[in-house]
Amino acid sequence: MRMSARSIHETLERLAALLRAETRRLGKPEGLQPVQIDALLYLDHCNRYSNTPQAVAEYLGSTKGTTSQTLKVLESKNLLAKAQDQRDRRVVRLHLTSKGRTLATTLANLPLLESALSQDSLDAESLGEELGGLLRALQRAGGFRTFGTCRTCRFLTPAEGGLLCGLTREALRLEETQQICREHEEPRD
Amino acid sequence: MRMSARSIHETLERLAALLRAETRRLGKPEGLQPVQIDALLYLDHCNRYSNTPQAVAEYLGSTKGTTSQTLKVLESKNLLAKAQDQRDRRVVRLHLTSKGRTLATTLANLPLLESALSQDSLDAESLGEELGGLLRALQRAGGFRTFGTCRTCRFLTPAEGGLLCGLTREALRLEETQQICREHEEPRD
DNA sequence: GTACAATGGTATCGAATCGATACTATCTAT
DNA sequence: ATAGATAGTATCGATTCGATACCATTGTAC
């Protein structure tokens, strides 16, 4: 039984539709759209190099203009605050408010997905591996940014007294290495 | 390394965003939105019990109203034709035009996905298994219709001279058993 | 050092999605 | 025959999204 690209395409589309509907359901009490929730979760999980409108746009696969509106909504709901970067004054830094952090934590786990993953027939471990592999393959095929964490980044370099980002030459706290980074790159074979 | 529900959630979201962007790109020359393409592909691949607006709505995880608009667009582009069902005159039957069939065939394979799946690091077989398993688990958890094919349906019954749908008691041609069915149900335990 | 391109971001417009609601038509159960 | 369920459409308002234009800041070429 050969597994065709079309059948995988179909399955992915069904998964995406279900996930989207569930996200919509979950965001409804807060008056949040799926895209707004995606942005919120990203900002809750990205590092200090990656909390800009541009990065959000790339992560969501959207344009700057659309993302700007999405962020405006989150700001108007007091879920995030904007601040001008001091080094590069074109750049806006996005920080979740405590209300935003709380909401992100709530929205991060989808009940539907939780209960699906807890079923005996599923091995979350190998599922995660396969999904991750597909994502990396797609990103490689399309030349997109990978948005991974330091753990799998080719720039991560051990130094005396801790870890270092080889790109910025800055020291990284341990928690930071588990956050999503816009500059993440896979090791070269 | 425990694989958390959140990280799977995140990966799925990224996959969905990439797929959606790619579908958008692909549909642009035709002036079709992603949802319209999804509906087109569904109608190209569903059986005669499942080609109604209601079924499309359930498949896409959307509402009747929204789906009605989606279908209106496809109709105005001469990609599908509506016909009243003669048995139940509330029901509208949707049939792709030859133009619609052709376009569906074109849009069914995403270049990005094809090239990702062809990479050595990926085993399309086990990926398909894992994805299918996750989809079934989600459908079970949420009580959604499964939209599978006869091959995995508990209603499929062998009869003299061919196959039979145990629900409608009608004979099925072999090709039909490979199409998506709205009445599909997984075997009980 | 001054022009000029590149980059980050916002504003605005029009087309489309989407949920909600209300409505019509048809079928089914009693 | 009547009530209720079901299939579908129409319409409204909020939001998404791409496209375009625009502004501010930074980087680069000369």
Side-chain angles (χ1 to χ4, degrees), chain A residues 120-139:
Chain A
D120 292 341
S121 55
L122 275 192
D123 177 9
E125 208 61 32
S126 64
L127 175 61
E129 297 289 339
E130 293 280 356
L131 286 178
L134 174 59
L135 180 55
R136 281 191 298 278
L138 280 172
Q139 287 165 336

Side-chain angles (χ1 to χ4, degrees), chain B:
Chain B
M1 185 57 196
R2 281 269 288 100
M3 192 64 68
S4 70
R6 167 144 195 188
S7 91
I8 287 181
H9 180 188
E10 221 164 56
T11 308
L12 282 172
E13 250 172 30
R14 297 272 312 128
L15 281 172
L18 285 183
L19 255 290
R20 197 172 189 73
E22 173 76 354
T23 304
R24 195 178 293 281
R25 201 180 62 76
L26 212 62
K28 199 174 156 188
E30 313 290 338
L32 288 179
Q33 301 291 325
V35 192
Q36 296 162 359
I37 294 180
D38 291 348
L40 187 73
L41 292 182
Y42 169 76
L43 289 172
D44 184 44
H45 205 186
C46 73
N47 70 9
R48 55 189 150 120
Y49 304 131
S50 316
N51 60 345
T52 69
Q54 178 69 32
V56 177
E58 287 166 358
Y59 184 82
L60 298 180
S62 185
T63 62
K64 289 187 304 179
T66 301
T67 304
S68 186
Q69 295 176 66
T70 301
L71 296 173
K72 214 162 55 176
V73 173
L74 292 180
E75 192 183 16
S76 77
K77 289 181 187 292
N78 280 316
L79 297 171
L80 73 80
K82 296 179 182 174
Q84 201 176 31
D85 186 296
Q86 288 314 309
R87 299 236 189 107
D88 185 339
R89 297 175 54 213
R90 292 171 302 184
V91 174
V92 168
R93 294 290 163 184
L94 305 166
H95 299 280
L96 292 192
T97 62
S98 63
K99 185 180 167 195
R101 294 271 171 213
T102 307
L103 184 56
T105 307
T106 305
L107 295 179
N109 39 4
L110 300 179
L112 181 64
L113 185 60
E114 304 270 355
S115 95
L117 289 175
S118 70
Q119 291 179 20
D120 291 342
S121 55
L122 275 191
D123 177 9
E125 208 61 33
S126 63
L127 175 61
E129 297 289 340
E130 293 281 355
L131 287 178
L134 174 60
L135 180 56
R136 280 190 299 277
L138 280 172
Q139 287 165 335
R140 205 158 29 220
F144 303 116
R145 288 182 188 275
T146 48
F147 284 99
T149 64
C150 298
R151 197 172 54 82
T152 61
C153 182
R154 73 187 190 89
F155 293 127
L156 185 66
T157 41
E160 66 278 11
L163 294 165
L164 206 68
C165 172
L167 195 63
T168 64
R169 314 300 306 170
E170 292 181 313
L172 297 168
R173 295 194 316 279
L174 191 58
E175 317 92 82
E176 282 184 311
T177 63
Q178 297 172 9
Q179 293 177 328
I180 302 173
C181 184
R182 181 193 179 191
E183 308 293 349
H184 176 275
E185 287 187 20
E186 303 280 332
R188 304 200 161 147
D189 56 292

Side-chain angles (χ1 to χ4, degrees), chain A residues 42 46-52 55-56 93 180-183:
Chain A
Y42 169 76
C46 73
N47 70 9
R48 54 189 151 121
Y49 303 133
S50 316
N51 60 347
T52 70
V56 177
R93 293 289 163 184
I180 302 174
C181 183
R182 182 193 180 192
E183 308 293 349

Side-chain angles (χ1 to χ4, degrees), chain A residues 12-57:
Chain A
L12 282 172
E13 250 171 28
R14 298 272 311 129
L15 282 172
L18 285 183
L19 256 289
R20 197 170 188 75
E22 173 75 353
T23 303
R24 197 179 291 282
R25 201 179 63 74
L26 212 62
K28 197 175 158 190
E30 313 291 338
L32 288 179
Q33 302 290 325
V35 192
Q36 297 162 357
I37 294 181
D38 290 348
L40 187 72
L41 292 182
Y42 169 76
L43 289 172
D44 184 44
H45 204 186
C46 73
N47 70 9
R48 54 189 151 121
Y49 303 133
S50 316
N51 60 347
T52 70
Q54 178 70 31
V56 177

